[in-house]
Amino acid sequence: MPALNMVQAINLALREEMRRDRSVVVLGEDVGKDGGVFRITDGLLPEFGEERVIDTPLSESGIVGAAIGMAVNGMRPVAEIQFMGFIYPAIDQIFSHAARIRSRSRGRFSCPLVVRTPYGIGIRSPELHSESSEALFCHMPGIKVVVPSTPYNAKGLLAAAVRDPDPVIFLESTRLYRLIREEVPEGAYTLPLGKARIVREGKEVTVISWGSMLHKTLQAVDGLDAEVIDLMTLNPFDEETITGSVKKTGRVVIVHEAPKTGGFGAELSATIAEDAMLFLKGPVLRVTGPDAVIPLPKLEERYAPSPERIRKALEEIMRY
């Protein structure tokens, strides 16, 4: 079984889904001859041809709009947006059309569309290349939001997203693209959307994170009796696993790199308060990015939660 990084695992998922189902197509800027800005689609053009691996003009709204048209007419498009900071021109297409087609048509049409995009800091890129605005998409009904944290999970979740009958926003951490390797089996498999995983069991505190923050969290909990949850799907999120863990530990720390105000941690915190308040031994703490525009490269490490900041929050909550 080969040890793959996340780039290779996502590439393998796309290749296998395109072989399995001829309705799966890939489109985006430079996804064909150049293999994508991070080489995720490398090698797909020679195997599947220009009709299924489509280089597009530099127009994010056009990419997603065309993909929606394909999806409604029986295709399963996977659209690539080069960086999350460039996805905002396409939000009208995603919110006003992709998310509503099932409801608008009273179930006569669905929109089996995947929009892949890198997110977050970690590669010292310029402005608009490091956004972490996942909460925006979680607010919109009709859209699933998926954030893998490892190569194995990335492959299984992407395959499930491609087969899903409704729109999926698939967020890939730029920091993780080539940071870690793990064994990833060849051959199709899927992981269920909407299901979290308990990465590390514990009894004293629950830590919830996703994407690249999971790996910093695992550094921070060393030596503690902490239960670590990798959310994997933010919308819909696995409420049962979260509340079950909180009822066991009574303490919660939520970690994400997006700004604190309106971040997805706020939704998790409110849900825990509604479902498990009587089990809490202290307040739900959040370790997040600051409420500031993501800085240019020299300051990005000061922006994102560090293992030291996460550890400090864990020590604070353990005093309750």
Side-chain angles (χ1 to χ4, degrees), residues 34-65:
D34 291 340
V37 63
F38 287 100
R39 303 298 179 262
I40 300 285
T41 55
D42 193 31
L44 298 185
L45 178 63
E47 181 172 353
F48 300 104
E50 293 181 345
E51 291 189 353
R52 297 184 64 195
V53 183
I54 305 165
D55 276 322
T56 69
L58 198 161
S59 170
E60 285 74 19
S61 179
I63 293 167
V64 176

Side-chain angles (χ1 to χ4, degrees), residues 111-178:
C111 186
L113 159 69
V114 177
V115 179
R116 295 181 36 250
T117 187
Y119 84 96
I121 68 168
I123 58 170
R124 300 187 182 282
S125 50
E127 188 178 19
L128 289 171
H129 291 66
S130 307
E131 302 287 289
S132 184
S133 44
E134 61 270 20
L136 279 176
F137 298 94
C138 294
H139 185 67
M140 187 66 204
I143 298 174
K144 297 182 178 70
V145 180
V146 177
V147 188
S149 58
T150 68
Y152 177 88
N153 291 337
K155 185 187 172 195
L157 289 169
L158 181 55
V162 170
R163 301 178 193 190
D164 196 271
D166 293 304
V168 178
I169 306 295
F170 196 85
L171 304 180
E172 302 160 3
S173 166
T174 54
R175 179 193 292 272
L176 296 182
Y177 268 151
R178 292 178 171 83

Side-chain angles (χ1 to χ4, degrees), residues 93 95 104 109 111 154 161 170 204 213 227 318:
Q93 293 288 350
F95 281 20
R104 180 179 290 155
F109 295 98
C111 186
F170 196 85
E204 296 295 327
M213 290 298 104
E227 183 146 295
M318 293 299 288

